[in-house]
Amino acid sequence: MSYTLSAAKLQTYHRCPRAYYFRYERRLDGSGFYGSTALGTSLHQALAQIYQDWHYQDPVPRLDWIEYCWNQQIGDLTSNQIAEGRAILRRYYYSFIASQSAMRRPLAVEGRIQGCLQVENLEFVLSGRYDRLDYCGDGLELIDYKSAKEIETIEPDEIDLQIGLYYLALEQRYQRSLKQLSLLYLRTGEKFSYTATPGHRQRVEQVISELAVELRRDRRWLPVPGTQCDRCAYARYCPAMRQEPEPLPEAARPEPGLQLVLSLN
């Protein structure tokens, strides 16, 4: 019996086991807080093509290569979105490509990784996505493009869990350690990098062990009130937020005994 576990799931569980219960155990809709825009999708696809299809015979591609890749991905975007995306990619080009002596060929772009961990006689499949994997000394740098209009505030614990999950999965997949996780904000051209250590792997193993206990034995899913409650999609069902919480909708999945598979997102 196996459980697919992503960084988003680990972060949700660490933030509040009750929110995890609502979202993943009972499958309540929280889609209003997740999703991506058409512009963001096109930017990700263009960047993947820029790195994947470049021949690397010349050290640095010209700007017209970036323009070409962008024009392949505009699809049904509006004229304003096309112009905005072009401006974003030009800024990216001058900040991260033209300023380098050579554009480095990545190990991979736009992919998935998986690893495994056995805890409490349960097999957890650690699954994640990445936008780009670069060589970083004797290890790897995982780059995650962000297309949001504002730089998101991410708690250190949540970054640590994301790093730990990728550390485990990349080590198993490539026999190389994750050295750095980088968040690259496309609209501002800012890049935030976090050093990865074996301590991140140990931390994620600890949180997965706690989750395994809930799945196997406790199943209390205790709420953890905090600032995240203000934007929680499930606040109206939560006993920590209301003395008389609303009953779960009929569309909620029945209370599971022991879940067979946890979805990726």
Side-chain angles (χ1 to χ4, degrees):
M1 188 173 294
S2 63
Y3 301 85
T4 303
L5 200 56
S6 68
K9 285 184 177 179
L10 279 177
Q11 290 165 346
T12 300
Y13 176 77
H14 177 72
R15 194 182 307 127
C16 179
R18 194 70 177 182
Y20 180 98
Y21 167 79
F22 288 138
R23 186 176 180 194
Y24 296 112
E25 292 283 289
R26 303 304 299 274
R27 301 287 176 85
L28 297 186
D29 181 24
S31 57
F33 292 82
Y34 305 93
S36 60
T37 66
L39 176 57
T41 299
S42 293
L43 286 168
H44 279 69
Q45 292 172 343
L47 284 162
Q49 184 178 358
I50 286 168
Y51 285 93
Q52 184 170 273
D53 292 354
W54 177 243
H55 54 66
Y56 291 93
Q57 295 171 7
D58 298 323
V60 177
R62 297 187 313 188
L63 181 59
D64 57 6
W65 171 247
I66 279 67
E67 297 278 357
Y68 170 80
C69 293
W70 175 237
N71 289 333
Q72 305 307 301
Q73 306 299 338
I74 55 178
D76 296 325
L77 297 181
T78 66
S79 58
N80 286 339
Q81 288 175 321
I82 292 171
E84 184 180 6
R86 180 176 290 109
I88 288 171
L89 287 177
R90 283 181 176 177
R91 183 187 304 116
Y92 179 92
Y93 173 76
Y94 287 114
S95 297
F96 299 105
I97 297 178
S99 61
Q100 306 296 315
S101 59
M103 187 170 82
R104 295 186 301 169
R105 186 193 296 270
L107 172 62
V109 297
E110 287 284 316
R112 288 175 176 264
I113 49 172
Q114 284 192 342
C116 295
L117 186 66
Q118 293 278 346
V119 181
E120 290 279 328
N121 296 321
L122 298 175
E123 181 183 56
F124 289 91
V125 177
L126 312 177
S127 181
R129 302 181 63 90
Y130 57 82
D131 293 318
R132 201 171 89 225
L133 276 179
D134 283 357
Y135 294 102
C136 184
D138 61 347
L140 299 172
E141 177 185 15
L142 187 146
I143 297 173
D144 186 7
Y145 301 130
K146 300 290 186 181
S147 57
K149 291 186 177 180
E150 296 181 359
I151 295 176
E152 57 190 315
T153 301
I154 306 176
E155 296 296 327
D157 281 353
E158 295 188 10
I159 282 288
D160 289 347
L161 290 174
Q162 187 175 359
I163 292 172
L165 182 141
Y166 283 121
Y167 196 110
L168 275 165
L170 288 171
E171 198 170 45
Q172 293 181 22
R173 171 66 177 84
Y174 292 106
Q175 291 76 53
R176 290 174 178 262
S177 296
L178 178 65
K179 296 296 184 183
Q180 188 166 280
L181 170 68
S182 294
L183 308 180
L184 203 159
Y185 288 85
L186 300 174
R187 293 176 185 268
T188 66
E190 294 176 89
K191 181 179 179 181
F192 299 90
S193 296
Y194 304 87
T195 301
T197 70
H200 290 100
R201 177 181 57 194
Q202 295 166 7
R203 176 62 179 140
V204 87
E205 289 173 342
Q206 176 187 346
V207 173
I208 292 174
S209 295
E210 295 169 2
L211 174 58
V213 170
E214 286 282 8
L215 290 168
R216 274 295 190 198
R217 297 197 295 271
D218 289 355
R219 305 195 66 80
R220 296 177 299 167
W221 309 109
L222 296 177
V224 179
T227 57
Q228 73 273 5
C229 296
D230 295 337
R231 59 183 187 275
C232 180
Y234 314 111
R236 62 187 181 276
Y237 308 120
C238 182
M241 295 298 292
R242 295 189 178 185
Q243 288 186 344
E244 296 184 6
E246 293 182 18
L248 298 188
E250 293 183 2
R253 193 177 69 164
E255 181 83 37
L258 186 61
Q259 191 173 340
L260 178 62
V261 177
L262 300 177
S263 64
L264 176 62
N265 291 313

